[in-house]
Amino acid sequence: MQNALTPAEVLELVIRGDYHDPFSVLGMHRERGKLVVRALLPGAVSAAVVDGKTGNILVPMQRLGDTALLFAEIPGRKELFRYRLKIDWGTHEQELEDAYRFPPVLGDIDVWLLSEGTHHRPYEKLGAHPAVMDGVSGVSFAVWAPNAQRVSVVGDFNGWDGRRHMMRFRHECGVWEMFVPHVMPGDLYKYEIRDIDGNVRLKADPYAFRSQLRPDTASIVHWLPPVAPSDEVRKAANALDAPVSIYEVHLGSWRTPEDGRRWLSYRELAEQLVPYVKSLAFTHIELMPINEHPLDDSWGYQSTGIYAPTARFGTPEDFRDFVETAHAYGIGVILDWVPAHFPADAHGLARFDGTALYEHEDPREGIHQDWGSVIYNYGRTEVQNYLVGNALYWIERYGVDGLRVDAVASMLYRDYSRAPGQWIPNKYGGRENLEAIAFLRKLNETVGIDRPEAVTMAEESTSFPAVSRPVGDGGLGFHYKWNLGWMHDTLSYMHEDPLFRKYHHDKMRFGLMYAYSENFILPLSHDEVVHCKGSLIGKMPGDEWQRFANLRAYFGFMWGFPGKKLLFMGGEFAQYREWNANGSLDWNLLQYPLHAGVQRVIRDLNTVYRDFPPLYRLDFDPAGFEWIIHNDVDESVFSFLRWDEERRFVVVISNFTPVPRYGYRIGVPQPGWYREIINTDAVIYGGSGIHNHELLAQPVPANGMPWSLEVTAPPLATCMLIRKES
C-alpha cells in the first residue's frame, strides 16, 4: 500500500506520475527543521527558487539523479513564504508561480455539500474557474473522480504532460482539485486520469463551460456566465393561463448561410430567426439541444458537454446574446434537455474513473437499447446534483425560460424497450424506475423553488399518471406534458381520405376524454417529419389544393383545441420534403401562393390565439371547453366553444370534407351578431373564399343551447367566430 512506502519509493512514484498525494511531496515543506522545495519539471534544463517578494534568486535547484524531479533546501529560512520558480527550458527561460504552493480550492462548506449531495449549483465549484489566489491569476480546477488513482489537469500550458499538474484529492467528497497559476480563459485542457485499474484516460471536463468543435474534444477555460436576473414578464408569459405557441427549431438546418459556411452563428440567428418568429406571432422558440455533442446526426441529443453551448454556432456569449435578443422581442426560449442518456465516447462521462461513475455497471440498467447510449445512475446523489445543477445553470446563467425534458418515458420504466429478462425490477418487484422518478421530482421542485419564472415540459409518451401535477400532490412536478396521443390520433385521422373519415371520427374527439388529466402541449414536432415519416403536407390526402386545405384546416382545429401549441420549423409553410438536418429548409417554396398561404394562416392563427383569451385562459380547466357538435359523423364536422373565466367565448367550426356545408345550424349560448375572426378557406391563404359574413343568432334551440346560427362550413376548413359586443 502507498501509505507504507519508503521515502525513496514515494519519490519514484511521484517522478512516474503515479502518486496519489503529490502535494505531500511537491511544493515547499518543512523537513527536519529545514525548508525544502521540490518541483517535477519534465523537459527543464535547470531551475532556481526565486523570492516572491523581492524577485531575487535564492538558490539553484538540484536534480535527483537523471530524473525530472528538482529540489532545493532554502538556507536561512524557517517559515513558509511566497516563492516562484525560474525555469530554463533550453529554448527559453520562464519565471512561474509553483502550483504546489497554493492552498485547497474547495472550502469546508463546499466539501460538505458535495459529499452530502445537496450542492444544487456544483458548477460554481467543479470545472475550471478563472480566479485570483494569493494575488496570482490562474484557474481553479476541480473534478469528481473518487476511484481514480491519480488525476492531472493537462493542456497547452503544460505540454499535455500529466506529471506537471497532478491534483490534490479531497477524500471527503471524491473530488480532485488544484489551482494552476498563469492559465487563462481560452486555454485548452483535459483531465488525465489514472483509473482504478491503472489505465490512463484522457477526459473532457464534465463541467466545461466551453468546448472544442468536433472532431476536437478538449475543454476550453471560460468564465462562468453571470446570473441572469429573474423576469416577472417572462414568468407571466410562461404561465398556465398564458398563450403559449412554440416554434421548434434545429439551429443548424433552419437556414444555411449564402457564403458556403455550414451554419449561421448564434448572433446571425438572433438577427434572422428571432424577428422571423416574431413576425409569425409565436410566443416561444424551442431549440433542439444546443449542448456540445460530437455527432451532427444526433441533433444534440447525445451530448458530451451538457454545460457548454455547442461551438458550431459561436461562443457562450454569442448564445447568451441570442437569448437576450429573443427576450427583447418578447419571445421566450426553451431548450431541449436530455438527462435520459449520454454517449459512450471515450472522452466523455462513460467509465470516467474506470468505474461506472455516472452510469450503471449492469447493462440491464445502464445501456439504452434504442440508441446504444449510456443511462445516468439517478440513484447517486452526485449524478443528481450534476443534472439538477445543469438545469439551474441554463435557467440562471443564460436566462432560458424553460426546459423540455427529452425521453421521459425511457427514464420512468426499467423495462423501457427491453425484453423480459433484460431488465432489473425495482426493490418492490415493479417496473417503475424509482430513482429516476425521485430525480425528476427533485429537478422540478428545485427549479420551482429557485427559479419560479421558468417552466419544465415532459416529452412523455405513456399513461404515467400526474406528470404535470405538483410533487406535493404525488405528481412529477412538470408544468406541461407533450400530448403525443392527441398528435398520433389526429394525424392518423387527417391522413384518411375525407370519404372515409366518418369511420375514424373518434380520433378527433378522443383527446377530450383525457384532455384535463395533464397540462398538455399539442406537439407537431421534428419527430413527425423524419425517419421516413414524410412531411406534414405529405401526410395530407387529395390533390394539391386539397392537401393544402387539409393542412390549413388541421392547424385551425389544433389552434382551437385545448392545450398549448408547438410546431416544428418548415411546417409553417408546408415544406414538401422530409426534414434533413444536413441542409436548409426549402425557403424557395414561399414564392408559391399555397405555401405562402400556409405561412400566413399560421401567423394569423397565432395572432387570433393571442388576441382572444378564451383560446388559452382555461386550457387546463374543463370549464374552458364545450362541445357544440361532435357526433356529425357523416359530414365530418366538429364544432365547439372555448370559454374564459369571464364567460367570453369563441366558436370553432371544422369541416373535414371538401363539401361546403351551407345553412349548417349550430347552437350558441347567447343572442346577438357573430363575426368571423379567422377562416382557413380565405383566398389569401389559398382557399376558395367561402366566408361567413355577419350572422344573427336566432331564437331556435340547437345542440342543447337556446340560440343558434345558420353558418356556412367551408370545405376542408376551420373557422372561428365571436359574438360582437353591443
Side-chain angles (χ1 to χ4, degrees):
M1 296 179 63
Q2 289 190 348
N3 58 5
L5 298 173
T6 67
E9 290 172 329
V10 168
L11 291 176
E12 183 180 351
L13 288 172
V14 170
I15 293 165
R16 293 208 317 252
D18 288 345
Y19 195 53
H20 68 287
D21 186 15
F23 275 83
S24 67
V25 177
L26 302 175
M28 181 180 287
H29 298 272
R30 293 191 188 91
E31 295 181 0
R32 298 181 301 277
K34 299 180 180 179
L35 290 182
V36 177
V37 175
R38 297 188 190 90
L40 189 63
L41 301 172
V45 175
S46 63
V49 179
V50 175
D51 189 307
K53 185 176 183 180
T54 66
N56 296 328
I57 293 178
L58 296 177
V59 61
M61 303 184 77
Q62 302 177 53
R63 188 179 299 277
L64 183 64
D66 59 356
T67 72
L69 185 69
L70 288 85
F71 66 95
E73 291 185 359
I74 310 300
R77 300 280 186 110
K78 294 184 179 180
E79 300 298 326
L80 301 178
F81 63 93
R82 292 177 57 180
Y83 69 94
R84 294 192 295 274
L85 299 176
K86 187 171 185 179
I87 307 167
D88 181 356
W89 297 105
T91 58
H92 65 285
E93 288 189 346
Q94 192 176 28
E95 193 167 305
L96 298 174
E97 299 284 347
D98 185 2
Y100 289 93
R101 81 167 183 82
F102 292 94
V105 168
L106 299 178
D108 292 340
I109 293 179
D110 295 311
V111 169
W112 172 266
L113 294 176
L114 288 169
S115 61
E116 188 181 53
T118 55
H119 204 308
H120 289 169
R121 295 168 181 80
Y123 59 83
E124 293 181 348
K125 294 299 176 180
L126 299 179
H129 294 266
V132 176
M133 188 172 287
D134 195 20
V136 177
S137 296
V139 174
S140 296
F141 294 95
V143 61
W144 180 55
N147 305 303
Q149 295 181 13
R150 184 262 298 169
V151 178
S152 300
V153 59
V154 296
D156 290 335
F157 48 85
N158 61 16
W160 299 90
D161 192 325
R163 296 170 293 175
R164 289 282 305 279
H165 292 108
M166 297 179 286
M167 302 173 78
R168 176 191 287 109
F169 185 52
R170 305 298 297 272
H171 294 269
E172 315 96 301
C173 58
V175 171
W176 299 78
E177 49 121 273
M178 186 179 207
F179 176 77
V180 182
H182 311 298
V183 179
M184 298 182 296
D187 285 349
L188 304 179
Y189 73 100
K190 284 188 179 182
Y191 295 113
E192 183 181 284
I193 299 175
R194 186 171 294 281
D195 69 20
I196 192 171
D197 298 316
N199 302 310
V200 174
R201 298 169 180 264
L202 205 57
K203 293 286 190 177
D205 188 351
Y207 286 88
F209 304 137
R210 188 178 177 187
S211 300
Q212 283 187 300
L213 177 62
R214 55 94 179 109
D216 297 319
T217 57
S219 303
I220 303 174
V221 175
H222 200 79
W223 295 98
L224 177 63
V227 173
S230 297
D231 188 335
E232 289 300 316
V233 173
R234 297 304 324 148
K235 181 178 180 181
N238 298 329
L240 299 181
D241 61 356
V244 175
S245 181
I246 304 166
Y247 186 66
E248 187 192 19
V249 180
H250 177 258
L251 290 181
S253 59
W254 178 72
R255 178 179 290 159
T256 53
E258 297 179 356
D259 58 8
R261 287 177 295 136
R262 178 74 181 273
W263 305 292
L264 294 173
S265 70
Y266 291 121
R267 293 185 184 270
E268 289 171 321
L269 287 160
E271 295 170 355
Q272 298 179 37
L273 171 60
V274 172
Y276 176 76
V277 172
K278 180 69 172 180
S279 73
L280 294 183
F282 284 98
T283 64
H284 292 71
I285 301 172
E286 180 176 319
L287 305 181
M288 292 168 68
I290 54 87
N291 317 91
E292 196 57 78
H293 53 283
L295 178 65
D296 294 350
D297 289 342
S298 79
W299 312 331
Y301 288 99
Q302 295 200 23
S303 172
T304 51
I306 66 172
Y307 280 83
T310 178
R312 288 167 175 80
F313 315 121
T315 68
E317 288 75 22
D318 294 337
F319 176 66
R320 184 170 168 127
D321 176 77
F322 175 90
V323 176
E324 291 174 348
T325 300
H327 287 169
Y329 275 80
I331 304 295
V333 179
I334 299 162
L335 297 187
D336 272 16
W337 188 64
V338 189
H341 62 126
F342 58 92
D345 295 63
H347 70 282
L349 297 182
R351 304 202 72 83
F352 194 78
D353 62 2
T355 68
L357 192 60
Y358 286 86
E359 69 271 37
H360 295 272
E361 186 70 49
D362 194 317
R364 292 175 297 174
E365 295 181 283
I367 302 298
H368 204 297
Q369 299 295 307
D370 290 345
W371 304 308
S373 51
V374 185
I375 299 171
Y376 286 104
N377 184 349
Y378 307 107
R380 297 200 73 156
T381 54
E382 296 90 347
V383 175
Q384 284 195 16
N385 274 9
Y386 177 68
L387 294 171
V388 173
N390 186 251
L392 283 178
Y393 170 79
W394 291 107
I395 296 167
E396 290 190 334
R397 299 290 173 161
Y398 286 95
V400 304
D401 297 88
L403 301 172
R404 175 267 197 184
V405 183
D406 182 66
V408 171
S410 75
M411 302 170 65
L412 294 176
Y413 297 103
R414 288 174 165 267
D415 64 344
Y416 183 87
S417 200
R418 294 178 186 272
Q422 294 183 347
W423 58 281
I424 300 174
N426 64 35
K427 62 183 179 181
Y428 301 113
R431 58 194 285 258
E432 295 81 9
N433 189 328
L434 303 179
E435 295 81 9
I437 292 169
F439 157 69
L440 290 171
R441 287 172 170 161
K442 178 179 179 180
L443 162 73
N444 290 319
E445 279 193 313
T446 302
V447 170
I449 292 170
D450 290 10
R451 296 298 289 222
E453 74 275 15
V455 291
T456 58
M457 306 168 174
E459 187 223 11
E460 203 284 311
S461 57
T462 75
S463 58
F464 192 92
V467 170
S468 58
R469 296 294 178 257
V471 172
D473 295 337
L476 291 183
F478 286 95
H479 297 82
Y480 298 102
K481 174 183 173 176
W482 276 22
N483 194 339
L484 297 172
W486 176 91
M487 177 270 298
H488 285 299
D489 286 347
T490 57
L491 280 178
S492 174
Y493 176 88
M494 295 304 300
H495 187 65
E496 298 291 338
D497 187 292
L499 184 64
F500 303 111
R501 282 177 176 165
K502 60 185 178 181
Y503 303 113
H504 304 273
H505 202 75
D506 276 345
K507 290 182 178 180
M508 294 300 271
R509 61 186 177 181
F510 181 68
L512 264 298
M513 299 295 291
Y514 58 88
Y516 302 104
S517 62
E518 301 279 2
N519 302 329
F520 280 123
I521 293 173
L522 310 181
L524 294 176
S525 75
H526 68 276
D527 282 329
E528 307 319 308
V529 293
V530 290
H531 302 321
C532 300
K533 294 178 185 175
S535 62
L536 290 180
I537 190 68
K539 301 178 195 299
M540 302 295 128
D543 59 25
E544 183 180 57
W545 187 91
Q546 290 180 340
R547 288 200 302 273
F548 280 85
N550 270 302
L551 184 60
R552 295 192 306 268
Y554 180 49
F555 284 149
F557 181 85
M558 173 180 173
W559 258 253
F561 201 84
K564 308 309 181 187
K565 324 301 176 188
L566 180 142
L567 180 63
F568 183 59
M569 64 182 199
E572 81 276 14
F573 60 82
Q575 174 164 300
Y576 276 125
R577 286 189 307 116
E578 183 176 83
W579 171 54
N580 178 3
N582 296 313
S584 175
L585 296 181
D586 295 332
W587 295 102
N588 62 299
L589 293 176
L590 285 170
Q591 66 184 301
Y592 302 108
L594 286 174
H595 292 277
V598 174
Q599 187 186 59
R600 290 190 191 102
V601 87
I602 290 295
R603 176 199 63 196
D604 292 349
L605 282 169
N606 276 330
T607 302
V608 165
Y609 173 61
R610 297 172 72 165
D611 287 349
F612 292 91
L615 292 173
Y616 62 83
R617 291 285 295 181
L618 298 179
D619 264 334
F620 310 122
D621 185 334
F625 180 91
E626 184 177 357
W627 278 116
I628 299 175
I629 297 172
H630 64 83
N631 57 357
D632 191 349
V633 174
D634 290 332
E635 297 188 346
S636 298
V637 173
F638 299 85
S639 183
F640 51 86
L641 297 170
R642 294 299 308 279
W643 295 90
D644 68 11
E645 65 272 33
E646 297 180 16
R647 301 308 288 166
R648 295 171 298 189
F649 60 92
V650 172
V651 181
V652 181
I653 307 162
S654 292
N655 175 11
F656 288 111
T657 70
V659 180
R661 310 295 177 184
Y662 295 102
Y664 193 91
R665 186 170 295 278
I666 64 169
V668 290
Q670 295 177 11
W673 289 92
Y674 287 71
R675 68 177 180 89
E676 278 186 347
I677 54 175
I678 194 167
N679 183 334
T680 66
D681 190 49
V683 173
I684 61 169
Y685 306 140
S688 60
I690 297 177
H691 283 276
N692 287 282
H693 299 289
E694 290 192 356
L695 301 169
L696 179 63
Q698 302 169 358
V700 178
N703 311 122
M705 298 182 191
W707 301 82
S708 62
L709 300 171
E710 284 191 355
V711 303
T712 297
L716 294 175
T718 294
C719 57
M720 298 183 188
L721 311 174
I722 62 166
R723 180 177 176 270
K724 293 179 65 176
E725 298 294 332
S726 58

